[in-house]
Amino acid sequence: MNRGRRYLAVSTVLITTACGSLDGPGPTAQTEQAARPNIVFIMSDDHAVQAVGAYGHPITQQAPTPNIDRIADEGMVFQNAFVTNSLCGPSRSTMLTGKYSHINGFTRNGDTFDGTQPTWPRVLKEAGYQTAMIGKWHLGRTPEGLNFDYWKIFNDQGEYYNPDFITEDGMQRHEGYASDLVTGFTLDWLDNRRDPDKPFVLFMNHKAPHRNWMPAPRHTRIFADTEFPVPDTYFDDYEGRRAAAEQEMNIYQHMYEGHDLKMTTGVGSTEWRYDPWKHLIERLSPEQRDEWDAAYQERNDAMNAADFDEREMALWKYQRYLQDYLATIAAVDDSVGAVLDYLDDAGLAENTLVVYTSDQGFYLGEHGWFDKRFMYEESLRTPMLIRWPGRVRGGSVSHAMVLNTDYAPTFLELAGLEVPDDIQGSSLTGIMDGDTPDDWRDSIYYHYYEYPGFHMVKAHYGIRNERYKLIHFYDDVDTWEFFDLETDPAELHNRIDDPAYRDTIAAMRNELQSLRRQFKVPETGVP
Ligand code: SGN
Ligand code: CA
């Protein structure tokens, strides 16, 4: 199999069968196979960069992701992949349209996606691709308008155990664990439902590792004895950062002790402490529940028997959070392995572009937090890895600043289609070939809207370039923050009033205004 680089000019793209190797012997159709690639888009929900082995964070030494890392070994890792609005619905809408939230109309969760606007999966379908969407959708009840050939999605956020799935035939409960069911439905589609004569676009959208972090039965204890390194900023005092001080996403203040942390009411008890959404644990069958309780009993009893002070309790909660969060990723990693193996075994790997990403990054205790939303690094960045043996050299690393607006133009181009002018991202094909265009963006624009709302992160917009970040929080505040990421990578020191940065800040403000003009951000009446 050729793992070297291969250049496919768009002009030579021919519409033929997409399965078979680019190099391999085969019928004449295969010689015409500068074929349009298949696209397998694997997305998890809230998967932090810090929890993907390929990014090298210390916690992944204890909680490795060998299958996701295979994508990096056999393809490319994007070190600077960012989202434009760090929240599920908005990020997914941006990925589908190649446009910012204020243009695609989906600024906050709970909005309904306008499926009549152009989206790359529908345009590719109209151009001959077969398309499927499996797992989390979360852009309204069903993906109506996108015209998928096949879809089988969670109901809203979905459930970890025995989840409901919605299809054209209605809603049905499936016994089992969410990530494994999604994997099974994906393999079933690949094996039994797809038309082998057409190239395909397949979305496999996991629920994990989204809150409330319920691992598969086989994974509930895998990190029971693991102590993860605590971030230096776990007890952040938020000095100089008012919006950071006023959020509600702190592990030791805002997590629900039952729902999130699976803490029980006392020694010997299996009853969870505070849980506003009991229906999730109540979905477990009696057998699943027994197995579940047994997995947590000893650790919960020890916690209940201990006489922790506030700080010790905060640290205990951090460990419990990480143990469960990372255990849910183990099933996602299994899933990725199963899909990669299938593509390899079916002879599809060579001409299939596999993306692994998340709808945004996440906090794993940095600043004391879980959740996302802020323009700080942990939630602005997102994992992004691609494998395409027919074109992308294995083991490559890109440091270019790429965005979730970039998928749409990339996939349109790869399908040999025109990229409309109103698309706001840029095609990644040059980067994938190892040739980042000279005029590639050197700064990015970000905008978060959902305030007031869950976790009370104030509305804000800002700009980041390679070294600096400038953020404006607005609505019920009017505060600016400026960080020098080189000297302050943890973003603890707001330098907005530091005279040493006056000229740099002025230049960044200008650049921010010009990005807002370029992306047609309304100056008034921001949604
Ligand atoms: C749920 C979560 C929140 C989370 C949002 C958005 N609470 O409401 O913690 O921020 O989803 O997440 S939960 O306990 O009900 O899970 S997103 O990924 O869909 O944007
Ligand atoms: Ca999410």
Side-chain angles (χ1 to χ4, degrees):
M1 197 186 290
N2 173 17
R3 303 230 172 240
R5 244 194 288 168
R6 177 176 295 270
Y7 300 91
L8 301 180
V10 175
S11 56
T12 67
V13 166
L14 294 171
I15 303 170
T16 67
T17 169
C19 35
S21 151
L22 280 169
D23 297 312
T28 29
Q30 293 202 357
T31 51
E32 295 167 40
Q33 261 207 52
R36 302 180 295 176
N38 307 308
I39 297 164
V40 175
F41 199 91
I42 307 176
M43 178 152 54
S44 49
D45 193 358
D46 295 357
H47 194 168
V49 164
Q50 309 89 291
V52 176
Y55 286 93
H57 189 280
I59 63 173
T60 60
Q61 284 165 20
Q62 292 160 295
T65 53
N67 290 301
I68 297 171
D69 299 351
R70 257 179 74 191
I71 302 181
D73 295 342
E74 298 168 13
M76 178 176 269
V77 182
F78 291 82
Q79 284 289 345
N80 287 305
F82 303 108
V83 294
T84 47
N85 181 354
S86 184
L87 195 61
C88 173
S91 177
R92 287 163 204 249
S93 305
T94 290
M95 288 183 198
L96 291 170
T97 58
K99 295 169 189 168
Y100 274 87
S101 306
H102 61 275
I103 302 287
N104 68 43
F106 201 115
T107 56
R108 58 194 87 208
N109 283 341
D111 286 348
T112 295
F113 185 68
D114 170 11
T116 63
Q117 66 186 311
T119 51
W120 65 265
R122 195 183 72 219
V123 175
L124 264 60
K125 180 187 157 96
E126 283 157 8
Y129 271 75
Q130 202 185 6
T131 62
M133 160 69 64
I134 295 166
K136 184 168 173 179
W137 169 245
H138 203 222
L139 295 177
R141 188 166 162 83
T142 68
E144 220 178 322
L146 279 88
N147 217 5
F148 287 109
D149 288 300
Y150 179 80
W151 54 271
K152 186 164 189 143
I153 56 169
F154 289 123
N155 180 23
D156 195 55
Q157 291 279 9
E159 298 97 9
Y160 275 110
Y161 276 79
N162 311 324
D164 291 324
F165 282 86
I166 308 174
T167 65
E168 270 169 290
D169 300 327
M171 190 156 87
Q172 204 196 332
R173 177 182 162 122
H174 289 260
E175 300 305 305
Y177 184 68
S179 308
D180 301 340
L181 290 166
V182 165
T183 311
F185 298 149
T186 299
L187 296 176
D188 170 56
W189 186 83
L190 280 167
D191 216 23
N192 304 317
R193 295 177 190 267
R194 106 194 145 79
D195 176 352
D197 293 329
K198 284 183 173 179
F200 63 86
V201 171
L202 168 61
F203 288 87
M204 179 169 79
N205 291 353
H206 282 291
K207 170 182 176 59
H210 191 272
R211 195 181 182 187
N212 66 335
W213 315 295
M214 293 175 73
R218 67 185 181 285
H219 293 138
T220 42
R221 296 174 210 241
I222 52 172
F223 300 124
D225 300 319
T226 309
E227 199 171 322
F228 293 100
V230 181
D232 294 340
T233 59
Y234 192 54
F235 293 104
D236 194 349
D237 62 8
Y238 312 119
E239 197 196 324
R241 291 156 289 145
R242 178 166 166 199
E246 294 181 5
Q247 46 57 48
E248 293 178 5
M249 46 189 257
N250 186 292
I251 294 168
Y252 39 97
Q253 286 172 0
H254 304 113
M255 264 191 186
Y256 299 138
E257 293 191 335
H259 176 73
D260 292 323
L261 291 160
K262 297 92 182 174
M263 294 163 74
T264 47
T265 52
V267 176
S269 165
T270 54
E271 191 194 329
W272 275 4
R273 296 189 191 186
Y274 184 64
D275 179 10
W277 295 293
K278 289 201 173 39
H279 64 281
L280 293 175
I281 186 71
E282 285 168 358
R283 290 187 80 89
L284 274 66
S285 68
E287 297 73 36
Q288 288 170 331
R289 185 68 205 253
D290 285 348
E291 199 181 339
W292 174 275
D293 288 339
Y296 286 87
Q297 189 78 53
E298 204 182 309
R299 285 177 284 160
N300 275 336
D301 284 349
M303 175 274 302
N304 278 312
D307 187 19
F308 289 143
D309 64 23
E310 230 175 274
R311 189 184 165 85
E312 287 165 337
M313 191 75 249
L315 291 169
W316 186 93
K317 287 182 175 178
Y318 168 79
Q319 295 299 340
R320 170 56 60 87
Y321 165 45
L322 271 266
Q323 286 166 2
D324 282 350
Y325 176 93
L326 294 164
T328 68
I329 289 170
V332 174
D333 194 66
D334 289 348
S335 170
V336 171
V339 171
L340 293 179
D341 286 350
Y342 180 89
L343 295 173
D344 290 348
D345 295 347
L348 288 166
E350 187 75 4
N351 200 33
T352 298
L353 190 166
V354 177
V355 177
Y356 184 83
T357 191
S358 169
D359 55 350
Q360 11 69 205
F362 214 66
Y363 295 92
L364 299 184
E366 300 85 2
H367 308 286
W369 296 340
F370 64 105
D371 216 67
K372 50 265 178 177
R373 301 160 192 272
F374 278 105
M375 199 194 162
Y376 304 130
E377 289 296 275
E378 290 80 2
S379 43
L380 177 66
R381 280 179 83 194
T382 195
M384 180 176 164
L385 311 106
I386 58 170
R387 181 185 90 157
W388 182 7
R391 179 150 174 180
V392 175
R393 189 169 42 199
S396 0
V397 178
S398 169
H399 292 273
M401 292 201 278
V402 302
L403 287 170
N404 53 352
T405 49
D406 296 337
Y407 292 115
T410 305
F411 296 144
L412 290 171
E413 186 186 324
L414 292 176
L417 301 165
E418 212 179 300
V419 179
D421 287 344
D422 61 352
I423 292 253
Q424 296 183 312
S426 301
S427 169
L428 299 168
T429 51
I431 295 175
M432 284 171 12
D433 293 335
D435 296 318
T436 305
D438 291 340
D439 60 352
W440 191 255
R441 68 171 72 86
D442 50 21
S443 61
I444 57 157
Y445 176 68
Y446 178 86
H447 200 146
Y448 171 79
Y449 299 84
E450 196 184 277
Y451 183 81
F454 269 112
H455 304 299
M456 296 303 277
V457 175
K458 295 180 193 300
H460 58 287
Y461 60 88
I463 176 175
R464 183 203 193 278
N465 63 23
E466 220 175 287
R467 175 160 176 188
Y468 302 108
K469 190 183 289 183
L470 178 69
I471 315 175
H472 181 209
F473 291 93
Y474 67 93
D475 199 331
D476 62 350
V477 287
D478 180 9
T479 55
W480 288 80
E481 295 183 7
F482 178 79
F483 299 98
D484 182 340
L485 300 171
E486 198 173 286
T487 59
D488 178 26
E491 299 166 289
L492 296 175
H493 306 292
N494 177 9
R495 302 289 189 206
I496 195 73
D497 294 321
D498 185 338
Y501 288 106
R502 194 181 303 134
D503 294 348
T504 310
I505 292 171
M508 292 282 283
R509 279 187 198 260
N510 281 340
E511 178 70 5
L512 174 59
Q513 278 320 314
S514 99
L515 287 180
R516 280 169 64 88
R517 275 193 298 276
Q518 180 189 336
F519 295 123
K520 301 186 165 51
V521 183
E523 277 307 321
T524 52
V526 170

